[in-house]
Short mmCIF file of all heavy atoms in Angstrom, two decimals:
data_model
loop_
_atom_site.label_atom_id
_atom_site.label_comp_id
_atom_site.label_asym_id
_atom_site.label_seq_id
_atom_site.Cartn_x
_atom_site.Cartn_y
_atom_site.Cartn_z
N MET A 1 95.37 105.69 84.19
CA MET A 1 95.25 104.63 83.16
C MET A 1 95.28 103.25 83.83
O MET A 1 96.21 102.93 84.58
CB MET A 1 96.40 104.76 82.18
CG MET A 1 96.27 103.85 80.97
SD MET A 1 97.67 104.07 79.87
CE MET A 1 97.54 105.81 79.49
N PRO A 2 94.25 102.48 83.64
CA PRO A 2 94.18 101.22 84.39
C PRO A 2 95.15 100.17 83.86
O PRO A 2 95.38 100.07 82.64
CB PRO A 2 92.74 100.76 84.19
CG PRO A 2 92.31 101.39 82.90
CD PRO A 2 93.08 102.69 82.81
N ILE A 3 95.70 99.39 84.76
CA ILE A 3 96.52 98.25 84.39
C ILE A 3 95.72 96.96 84.70
O ILE A 3 95.23 96.82 85.81
CB ILE A 3 97.84 98.22 85.19
CG1 ILE A 3 98.65 99.49 84.92
CG2 ILE A 3 98.65 96.97 84.85
CD1 ILE A 3 99.90 99.59 85.77
N TYR A 4 95.58 96.12 83.69
CA TYR A 4 94.84 94.89 83.89
C TYR A 4 95.80 93.69 83.74
O TYR A 4 96.81 93.77 83.01
CB TYR A 4 93.71 94.74 82.88
CG TYR A 4 92.63 95.74 83.09
CD1 TYR A 4 92.46 96.78 82.18
CD2 TYR A 4 91.79 95.67 84.19
CE1 TYR A 4 91.42 97.70 82.36
CE2 TYR A 4 90.77 96.62 84.39
CZ TYR A 4 90.61 97.62 83.47
OH TYR A 4 89.64 98.56 83.66
N GLU A 5 95.47 92.64 84.45
CA GLU A 5 96.25 91.43 84.35
C GLU A 5 95.41 90.42 83.55
O GLU A 5 94.22 90.25 83.82
CB GLU A 5 96.59 90.87 85.72
CG GLU A 5 97.58 89.72 85.68
CD GLU A 5 98.11 89.39 87.07
OE1 GLU A 5 97.99 90.18 87.99
OE2 GLU A 5 98.67 88.28 87.19
N TYR A 6 96.03 89.81 82.54
CA TYR A 6 95.33 88.87 81.69
C TYR A 6 96.01 87.50 81.69
O TYR A 6 97.22 87.41 81.87
CB TYR A 6 95.32 89.40 80.23
CG TYR A 6 94.50 90.64 80.03
CD1 TYR A 6 95.07 91.89 80.09
CD2 TYR A 6 93.15 90.55 79.78
CE1 TYR A 6 94.34 93.03 79.93
CE2 TYR A 6 92.37 91.69 79.60
CZ TYR A 6 92.96 92.93 79.65
OH TYR A 6 92.21 94.05 79.50
N ALA A 7 95.18 86.52 81.43
CA ALA A 7 95.71 85.17 81.19
C ALA A 7 95.24 84.74 79.79
O ALA A 7 94.05 84.77 79.51
CB ALA A 7 95.21 84.19 82.25
N CYS A 8 96.18 84.38 78.96
CA CYS A 8 95.88 83.99 77.60
C CYS A 8 95.18 82.64 77.59
O CYS A 8 95.63 81.68 78.21
CB CYS A 8 97.16 83.94 76.78
SG CYS A 8 96.87 83.42 75.06
N GLN A 9 94.05 82.56 76.87
CA GLN A 9 93.35 81.29 76.77
C GLN A 9 94.02 80.35 75.79
O GLN A 9 93.76 79.13 75.82
CB GLN A 9 91.87 81.54 76.34
CG GLN A 9 91.08 82.29 77.38
CD GLN A 9 89.65 82.51 76.92
OE1 GLN A 9 89.19 82.04 75.89
NE2 GLN A 9 88.90 83.24 77.72
N GLN A 10 94.85 80.86 74.91
CA GLN A 10 95.48 80.03 73.91
C GLN A 10 96.73 79.34 74.47
O GLN A 10 96.89 78.13 74.28
CB GLN A 10 95.85 80.88 72.66
CG GLN A 10 94.67 81.45 71.95
CD GLN A 10 93.81 80.39 71.31
OE1 GLN A 10 94.29 79.41 70.76
NE2 GLN A 10 92.50 80.55 71.39
N CYS A 11 97.62 80.09 75.11
CA CYS A 11 98.90 79.53 75.54
C CYS A 11 99.10 79.57 77.06
O CYS A 11 100.07 79.06 77.57
CB CYS A 11 100.05 80.23 74.82
SG CYS A 11 100.32 81.93 75.38
N GLY A 12 98.16 80.21 77.76
CA GLY A 12 98.24 80.25 79.22
C GLY A 12 99.15 81.30 79.77
O GLY A 12 99.35 81.40 80.97
N HIS A 13 99.76 82.12 78.88
CA HIS A 13 100.66 83.16 79.31
C HIS A 13 99.91 84.22 80.12
O HIS A 13 98.85 84.67 79.71
CB HIS A 13 101.34 83.80 78.10
CG HIS A 13 102.39 84.80 78.45
ND1 HIS A 13 103.61 84.45 78.94
CD2 HIS A 13 102.39 86.17 78.37
CE1 HIS A 13 104.32 85.54 79.14
NE2 HIS A 13 103.62 86.59 78.81
N GLU A 14 100.48 84.62 81.26
CA GLU A 14 99.87 85.66 82.08
C GLU A 14 100.72 86.93 81.97
O GLU A 14 101.94 86.89 82.04
CB GLU A 14 99.78 85.23 83.57
CG GLU A 14 98.84 84.03 83.72
CD GLU A 14 98.71 83.63 85.19
OE1 GLU A 14 99.29 84.31 86.07
OE2 GLU A 14 98.08 82.62 85.47
N PHE A 15 100.05 88.06 81.80
CA PHE A 15 100.78 89.30 81.64
C PHE A 15 99.90 90.46 82.08
O PHE A 15 98.68 90.34 82.18
CB PHE A 15 101.21 89.47 80.16
CG PHE A 15 100.03 89.53 79.21
CD1 PHE A 15 99.55 90.75 78.74
CD2 PHE A 15 99.42 88.36 78.78
CE1 PHE A 15 98.46 90.81 77.87
CE2 PHE A 15 98.34 88.40 77.91
CZ PHE A 15 97.86 89.63 77.45
N GLU A 16 100.55 91.61 82.33
CA GLU A 16 99.86 92.83 82.65
C GLU A 16 99.87 93.74 81.43
O GLU A 16 100.83 93.77 80.67
CB GLU A 16 100.51 93.55 83.81
CG GLU A 16 100.38 92.78 85.12
CD GLU A 16 101.07 93.50 86.25
OE1 GLU A 16 101.82 94.43 86.01
OE2 GLU A 16 100.85 93.07 87.41
N ALA A 17 98.77 94.50 81.24
CA ALA A 17 98.72 95.39 80.10
C ALA A 17 98.04 96.69 80.50
O ALA A 17 97.05 96.71 81.23
CB ALA A 17 97.97 94.73 78.96
N LEU A 18 98.60 97.79 80.01
CA LEU A 18 97.91 99.05 80.10
C LEU A 18 96.84 99.09 79.02
O LEU A 18 97.11 98.83 77.88
CB LEU A 18 98.88 100.22 79.86
CG LEU A 18 99.90 100.50 80.97
CD1 LEU A 18 100.92 101.52 80.48
CD2 LEU A 18 99.17 101.05 82.21
N VAL A 19 95.61 99.37 79.40
CA VAL A 19 94.51 99.29 78.44
C VAL A 19 93.84 100.62 78.28
O VAL A 19 93.27 101.19 79.20
CB VAL A 19 93.46 98.27 78.91
CG1 VAL A 19 92.33 98.15 77.92
CG2 VAL A 19 94.12 96.89 79.12
N ARG A 20 93.99 101.18 77.07
CA ARG A 20 93.28 102.40 76.73
C ARG A 20 91.91 102.02 76.15
O ARG A 20 91.72 100.87 75.74
CB ARG A 20 94.07 103.20 75.70
CG ARG A 20 95.43 103.63 76.20
CD ARG A 20 96.19 104.33 75.08
NE ARG A 20 97.55 104.66 75.50
CZ ARG A 20 98.60 103.82 75.46
NH1 ARG A 20 98.42 102.59 75.03
NH2 ARG A 20 99.78 104.19 75.84
N ALA A 21 91.03 102.99 76.11
CA ALA A 21 89.66 102.68 75.70
C ALA A 21 89.61 102.10 74.30
O ALA A 21 88.75 101.27 73.97
CB ALA A 21 88.81 103.92 75.78
N SER A 22 90.52 102.53 73.41
CA SER A 22 90.49 102.11 72.03
C SER A 22 91.41 100.94 71.72
O SER A 22 91.57 100.55 70.58
CB SER A 22 90.86 103.29 71.13
OG SER A 22 92.15 103.72 71.44
N THR A 23 92.01 100.36 72.77
CA THR A 23 93.01 99.31 72.58
C THR A 23 92.47 97.96 72.99
O THR A 23 91.91 97.81 74.05
CB THR A 23 94.28 99.63 73.41
OG1 THR A 23 94.76 100.90 73.05
CG2 THR A 23 95.34 98.56 73.17
N VAL A 24 92.61 96.98 72.11
CA VAL A 24 92.29 95.61 72.44
C VAL A 24 93.57 94.90 72.85
O VAL A 24 94.49 94.80 72.02
CB VAL A 24 91.65 94.88 71.27
CG1 VAL A 24 91.36 93.43 71.63
CG2 VAL A 24 90.34 95.59 70.86
N PRO A 25 93.69 94.43 74.06
CA PRO A 25 94.93 93.79 74.47
C PRO A 25 95.09 92.42 73.79
O PRO A 25 94.09 91.76 73.47
CB PRO A 25 94.74 93.60 75.97
CG PRO A 25 93.25 93.55 76.18
CD PRO A 25 92.68 94.48 75.12
N GLU A 26 96.35 92.06 73.56
CA GLU A 26 96.61 90.76 72.99
C GLU A 26 97.79 90.11 73.69
O GLU A 26 98.62 90.81 74.28
CB GLU A 26 96.87 90.86 71.48
CG GLU A 26 98.13 91.66 71.14
CD GLU A 26 98.43 91.60 69.65
OE1 GLU A 26 97.50 91.50 68.85
OE2 GLU A 26 99.61 91.70 69.30
N CYS A 27 97.86 88.82 73.59
CA CYS A 27 98.95 88.07 74.20
C CYS A 27 100.29 88.42 73.55
O CYS A 27 100.37 88.40 72.32
CB CYS A 27 98.65 86.57 74.09
SG CYS A 27 100.01 85.56 74.70
N PRO A 28 101.31 88.76 74.34
CA PRO A 28 102.62 89.08 73.73
C PRO A 28 103.32 87.85 73.17
O PRO A 28 104.25 87.99 72.40
CB PRO A 28 103.41 89.67 74.94
CG PRO A 28 102.73 89.11 76.14
CD PRO A 28 101.28 88.94 75.79
N ASP A 29 102.88 86.67 73.54
CA ASP A 29 103.52 85.45 73.02
C ASP A 29 102.89 84.99 71.72
O ASP A 29 103.58 84.76 70.75
CB ASP A 29 103.40 84.33 74.07
CG ASP A 29 104.49 84.44 75.15
OD1 ASP A 29 105.30 85.41 75.08
OD2 ASP A 29 104.54 83.56 76.01
N CYS A 30 101.56 84.81 71.74
CA CYS A 30 100.92 84.23 70.55
C CYS A 30 99.97 85.20 69.85
O CYS A 30 99.37 84.87 68.84
CB CYS A 30 100.17 82.96 70.95
SG CYS A 30 98.72 83.27 71.97
N HIS A 31 99.87 86.43 70.40
CA HIS A 31 99.05 87.51 69.81
C HIS A 31 97.58 87.16 69.73
O HIS A 31 96.84 87.73 68.95
CB HIS A 31 99.60 87.89 68.43
CG HIS A 31 101.02 88.34 68.47
ND1 HIS A 31 101.41 89.56 68.99
CD2 HIS A 31 102.17 87.71 68.11
CE1 HIS A 31 102.73 89.68 68.96
NE2 HIS A 31 103.22 88.58 68.41
N SER A 32 97.15 86.23 70.57
CA SER A 32 95.72 85.95 70.67
C SER A 32 95.03 87.07 71.43
O SER A 32 95.59 87.68 72.34
CB SER A 32 95.50 84.62 71.40
OG SER A 32 94.15 84.45 71.68
N THR A 33 93.79 87.35 71.06
CA THR A 33 92.97 88.28 71.84
C THR A 33 91.94 87.55 72.69
O THR A 33 91.05 88.14 73.25
CB THR A 33 92.27 89.28 70.93
OG1 THR A 33 91.50 88.56 69.95
CG2 THR A 33 93.27 90.17 70.20
N GLU A 34 92.08 86.22 72.75
CA GLU A 34 91.21 85.39 73.61
C GLU A 34 91.83 85.39 75.00
O GLU A 34 92.61 84.50 75.33
CB GLU A 34 91.06 83.98 73.04
CG GLU A 34 90.46 83.90 71.65
CD GLU A 34 89.01 84.37 71.68
OE1 GLU A 34 88.24 83.96 72.56
OE2 GLU A 34 88.62 85.16 70.80
N LEU A 35 91.45 86.38 75.81
CA LEU A 35 92.09 86.56 77.11
C LEU A 35 91.10 86.50 78.25
O LEU A 35 89.96 86.94 78.08
CB LEU A 35 92.82 87.91 77.13
CG LEU A 35 93.80 88.19 75.98
CD1 LEU A 35 94.27 89.62 76.11
CD2 LEU A 35 94.96 87.21 76.02
N ASP A 36 91.53 85.98 79.35
CA ASP A 36 90.75 86.09 80.58
C ASP A 36 91.28 87.30 81.36
O ASP A 36 92.46 87.37 81.68
CB ASP A 36 90.90 84.83 81.45
CG ASP A 36 90.15 83.66 80.88
OD1 ASP A 36 89.09 83.88 80.27
OD2 ASP A 36 90.64 82.52 81.05
N LYS A 37 90.39 88.27 81.67
CA LYS A 37 90.82 89.40 82.47
C LYS A 37 90.83 88.98 83.93
O LYS A 37 89.87 88.46 84.46
CB LYS A 37 89.85 90.56 82.26
CG LYS A 37 90.34 91.82 82.99
CD LYS A 37 89.31 92.92 82.93
CE LYS A 37 89.21 93.55 81.54
NZ LYS A 37 88.27 94.70 81.54
N MET A 38 91.95 89.26 84.58
CA MET A 38 92.09 88.89 85.97
C MET A 38 91.99 90.15 86.82
O MET A 38 91.86 91.27 86.32
CB MET A 38 93.47 88.22 86.20
CG MET A 38 93.56 86.96 85.35
SD MET A 38 95.19 86.21 85.40
CE MET A 38 95.24 85.50 87.04
N LEU A 39 92.01 89.99 88.14
CA LEU A 39 91.82 91.12 89.04
C LEU A 39 92.93 92.15 88.83
O LEU A 39 94.11 91.84 88.84
CB LEU A 39 91.83 90.65 90.50
CG LEU A 39 91.52 91.68 91.55
CD1 LEU A 39 90.10 92.23 91.36
CD2 LEU A 39 91.67 91.10 92.92
N SER A 40 92.53 93.40 88.69
CA SER A 40 93.50 94.46 88.44
C SER A 40 94.13 94.89 89.75
O SER A 40 93.48 95.17 90.74
CB SER A 40 92.81 95.65 87.81
OG SER A 40 93.61 96.79 87.87
N VAL A 41 95.46 95.01 89.74
CA VAL A 41 96.17 95.55 90.89
C VAL A 41 95.78 96.99 91.14
O VAL A 41 95.57 97.39 92.25
CB VAL A 41 97.70 95.44 90.68
CG1 VAL A 41 98.49 96.11 91.81
CG2 VAL A 41 98.12 93.97 90.54
N PHE A 42 95.63 97.72 90.04
CA PHE A 42 95.23 99.13 90.13
C PHE A 42 93.89 99.27 90.82
O PHE A 42 93.71 100.09 91.70
CB PHE A 42 95.18 99.71 88.73
CG PHE A 42 94.81 101.18 88.69
CD1 PHE A 42 95.78 102.18 88.77
CD2 PHE A 42 93.46 101.51 88.56
CE1 PHE A 42 95.41 103.50 88.73
CE2 PHE A 42 93.12 102.88 88.53
CZ PHE A 42 94.08 103.86 88.61
N ALA A 43 92.91 98.46 90.40
CA ALA A 43 91.57 98.55 90.97
C ALA A 43 91.54 98.23 92.44
O ALA A 43 90.83 98.83 93.22
CB ALA A 43 90.61 97.62 90.21
N THR A 44 92.37 97.23 92.83
CA THR A 44 92.42 96.87 94.25
C THR A 44 92.95 98.01 95.10
O THR A 44 92.39 98.34 96.12
CB THR A 44 93.36 95.64 94.42
OG1 THR A 44 92.88 94.58 93.61
CG2 THR A 44 93.39 95.19 95.86
N ALA A 45 94.01 98.67 94.60
CA ALA A 45 94.56 99.80 95.33
C ALA A 45 93.57 100.94 95.43
O ALA A 45 93.44 101.61 96.44
CB ALA A 45 95.85 100.26 94.67
N ALA A 46 92.85 101.19 94.32
CA ALA A 46 91.89 102.31 94.31
C ALA A 46 90.77 102.09 95.31
O ALA A 46 90.33 103.02 95.97
CB ALA A 46 91.32 102.46 92.90
N SER A 47 90.32 100.85 95.45
CA SER A 47 89.19 100.61 96.40
C SER A 47 89.69 100.77 97.82
O SER A 47 88.92 101.21 98.68
CB SER A 47 88.64 99.19 96.17
OG SER A 47 89.61 98.21 96.48
N ASN A 48 90.95 100.46 98.09
CA ASN A 48 91.48 100.70 99.40
C ASN A 48 91.53 102.18 99.74
O ASN A 48 91.25 102.59 100.85
CB ASN A 48 92.89 100.13 99.51
CG ASN A 48 92.88 98.59 99.58
OD1 ASN A 48 91.84 98.00 99.86
ND2 ASN A 48 94.03 97.97 99.35
N VAL A 49 91.86 103.03 98.76
CA VAL A 49 91.92 104.46 98.99
C VAL A 49 90.53 104.99 99.31
O VAL A 49 90.34 105.82 100.20
CB VAL A 49 92.46 105.18 97.75
CG1 VAL A 49 92.28 106.68 97.86
CG2 VAL A 49 93.96 104.83 97.55
N GLU A 50 89.51 104.48 98.60
CA GLU A 50 88.13 104.94 98.86
C GLU A 50 87.69 104.59 100.26
O GLU A 50 86.84 105.29 100.85
CB GLU A 50 87.20 104.32 97.84
CG GLU A 50 87.33 104.93 96.46
CD GLU A 50 86.41 104.26 95.44
OE1 GLU A 50 85.52 103.52 95.87
OE2 GLU A 50 86.63 104.48 94.26
N ALA A 51 88.22 103.49 100.80
CA ALA A 51 87.79 103.07 102.15
C ALA A 51 88.46 103.88 103.25
O ALA A 51 88.07 103.79 104.39
CB ALA A 51 88.09 101.59 102.34
N THR A 52 89.51 104.64 102.89
CA THR A 52 90.22 105.43 103.89
C THR A 52 89.43 106.65 104.29
O THR A 52 88.86 107.33 103.44
CB THR A 52 91.60 105.90 103.32
OG1 THR A 52 92.31 104.77 102.86
CG2 THR A 52 92.39 106.62 104.37
N PRO A 53 89.30 106.90 105.60
CA PRO A 53 88.53 108.09 106.04
C PRO A 53 89.11 109.38 105.48
O PRO A 53 90.30 109.48 105.17
CB PRO A 53 88.69 108.08 107.57
CG PRO A 53 89.06 106.65 107.90
CD PRO A 53 89.81 106.14 106.73
N MET A 54 88.26 110.37 105.36
CA MET A 54 88.70 111.67 104.88
C MET A 54 89.74 112.26 105.81
O MET A 54 89.72 112.00 107.01
CB MET A 54 87.54 112.65 104.80
CG MET A 54 86.51 112.29 103.72
SD MET A 54 87.18 112.60 102.05
CE MET A 54 87.23 114.39 102.05
N PRO A 55 90.72 113.02 105.30
CA PRO A 55 91.69 113.68 106.17
C PRO A 55 91.01 114.71 107.03
O PRO A 55 89.85 115.06 106.82
CB PRO A 55 92.67 114.34 105.18
CG PRO A 55 91.90 114.48 103.91
CD PRO A 55 90.96 113.30 103.87
N ALA A 56 91.73 115.20 108.04
CA ALA A 56 91.16 116.16 108.98
C ALA A 56 90.58 117.37 108.26
O ALA A 56 91.13 117.85 107.27
CB ALA A 56 92.24 116.59 109.98
N SER A 57 89.47 117.82 108.76
CA SER A 57 88.81 118.97 108.14
C SER A 57 89.65 120.21 108.28
O SER A 57 90.39 120.37 109.27
CB SER A 57 87.46 119.22 108.82
OG SER A 57 86.66 118.07 108.69
N PRO A 58 89.59 121.13 107.36
CA PRO A 58 90.31 122.39 107.51
C PRO A 58 89.75 123.18 108.68
O PRO A 58 88.60 123.01 109.05
CB PRO A 58 90.05 123.12 106.19
CG PRO A 58 88.79 122.46 105.64
CD PRO A 58 88.85 121.03 106.11
N CYS A 59 90.57 124.02 109.23
CA CYS A 59 90.16 124.79 110.40
C CYS A 59 88.90 125.62 110.04
O CYS A 59 88.76 126.15 108.95
CB CYS A 59 91.28 125.72 110.86
SG CYS A 59 91.06 126.27 112.54
N GLY A 60 88.02 125.73 111.03
CA GLY A 60 86.75 126.39 110.76
C GLY A 60 85.61 125.41 110.79
O GLY A 60 84.48 125.76 111.04
N SER A 61 85.97 124.13 110.55
CA SER A 61 84.95 123.10 110.62
C SER A 61 85.43 121.94 111.52
O SER A 61 84.95 120.86 111.40
CB SER A 61 84.56 122.61 109.24
OG SER A 61 85.69 122.05 108.60
N CYS A 62 86.44 122.18 112.36
CA CYS A 62 87.02 121.13 113.13
C CYS A 62 86.33 120.92 114.48
O CYS A 62 86.61 119.99 115.19
CB CYS A 62 88.53 121.39 113.36
SG CYS A 62 88.86 122.81 114.41
N GLY A 63 85.43 121.80 114.84
CA GLY A 63 84.69 121.63 116.09
C GLY A 63 85.48 122.05 117.33
O GLY A 63 85.08 121.71 118.44
N HIS A 64 86.56 122.79 117.19
CA HIS A 64 87.31 123.25 118.35
C HIS A 64 86.42 124.17 119.21
O HIS A 64 85.70 125.03 118.67
CB HIS A 64 88.54 124.02 117.87
CG HIS A 64 89.51 124.32 119.00
ND1 HIS A 64 89.29 125.32 119.91
CD2 HIS A 64 90.70 123.76 119.34
CE1 HIS A 64 90.31 125.37 120.77
NE2 HIS A 64 91.16 124.39 120.44
N PRO A 65 86.44 123.96 120.56
CA PRO A 65 85.55 124.76 121.43
C PRO A 65 85.81 126.24 121.40
O PRO A 65 84.95 127.05 121.71
CB PRO A 65 85.82 124.17 122.85
CG PRO A 65 87.10 123.42 122.74
CD PRO A 65 87.20 122.94 121.30
N GLY A 66 87.03 126.63 120.97
CA GLY A 66 87.32 128.07 120.86
C GLY A 66 86.70 128.72 119.67
O GLY A 66 86.82 129.94 119.52
N GLY A 67 86.07 127.97 118.83
CA GLY A 67 85.43 128.53 117.63
C GLY A 67 86.28 128.38 116.42
O GLY A 67 87.44 127.94 116.50
N PRO A 68 85.74 128.71 115.28
CA PRO A 68 86.48 128.59 114.01
C PRO A 68 87.79 129.37 114.05
O PRO A 68 87.85 130.51 114.51
CB PRO A 68 85.51 129.21 112.99
CG PRO A 68 84.16 129.04 113.61
CD PRO A 68 84.38 129.14 115.09
N GLY A 69 88.89 128.72 113.63
CA GLY A 69 90.19 129.40 113.60
C GLY A 69 90.96 129.31 114.88
O GLY A 69 92.09 129.80 114.97
N ALA A 70 90.40 128.69 115.95
CA ALA A 70 91.04 128.67 117.24
C ALA A 70 91.98 127.46 117.41
O ALA A 70 92.73 127.43 118.40
CB ALA A 70 90.01 128.65 118.35
N CYS A 71 91.92 126.52 116.52
CA CYS A 71 92.74 125.30 116.73
C CYS A 71 94.15 125.51 116.25
O CYS A 71 94.50 126.49 115.59
CB CYS A 71 92.08 124.11 116.06
SG CYS A 71 92.27 124.07 114.27
N ALA A 72 95.03 124.52 116.53
CA ALA A 72 96.44 124.62 116.21
C ALA A 72 96.73 124.55 114.73
O ALA A 72 97.84 124.87 114.31
CB ALA A 72 97.20 123.47 116.93
N LEU A 73 95.75 124.20 113.93
CA LEU A 73 95.98 124.10 112.47
C LEU A 73 96.03 125.49 111.85
O LEU A 73 96.43 125.64 110.72
CB LEU A 73 94.87 123.28 111.84
CG LEU A 73 94.87 121.79 112.17
CD1 LEU A 73 93.64 121.13 111.57
CD2 LEU A 73 96.14 121.11 111.70
N ASN A 74 95.61 126.48 112.56
CA ASN A 74 95.46 127.79 111.95
C ASN A 74 96.72 128.62 112.06
O ASN A 74 97.25 128.82 113.12
CB ASN A 74 94.29 128.54 112.62
CG ASN A 74 93.66 129.47 111.60
OD1 ASN A 74 93.73 129.23 110.43
ND2 ASN A 74 93.02 130.53 112.12
ZN1 ZN B 101 99.05 83.54 74.26
#
């Protein structure tokens, strides 16, 4: 479930909100729905995960010269 950070255009209050598909976020102070969506902390973390290389392949595809199953992972 994504967490978004908003800044209220009415009162300037900044807050984070869990946003479901059917939910319109509103300011907890003035209940305005005139909000600026800011960069999501969740989205930033997710993009970092995607940039991380895949973990080591399971044995059998690791390229060990002894053949599939010959490496220390087995
Ligand atoms: Zn507000």
Side-chain angles (χ1 to χ4, degrees):
M1 188 179 302
I3 300 174
Y4 293 110
E5 189 168 344
Y6 292 94
C8 178
Q9 294 180 4
Q10 295 295 320
C11 71
H13 185 73
E14 295 182 5
F15 60 99
E16 293 179 347
L18 288 171
V19 181
R20 299 175 185 83
S22 60
T23 303
V24 178
E26 65 174 29
C27 175
D29 278 2
C30 68
H31 302 287
S32 170
T33 56
E34 300 293 314
L35 307 173
D36 287 327
K37 185 187 288 185
M38 301 172 72
L39 185 63
S40 165
V41 175
F42 180 89
T44 303
S47 65
N48 286 344
V49 170
E50 287 178 14
T52 304
M54 291 290 290
S57 301
C59 199
S61 60
C62 66
H64 190 282
C71 75
L73 292 175
N74 210 27

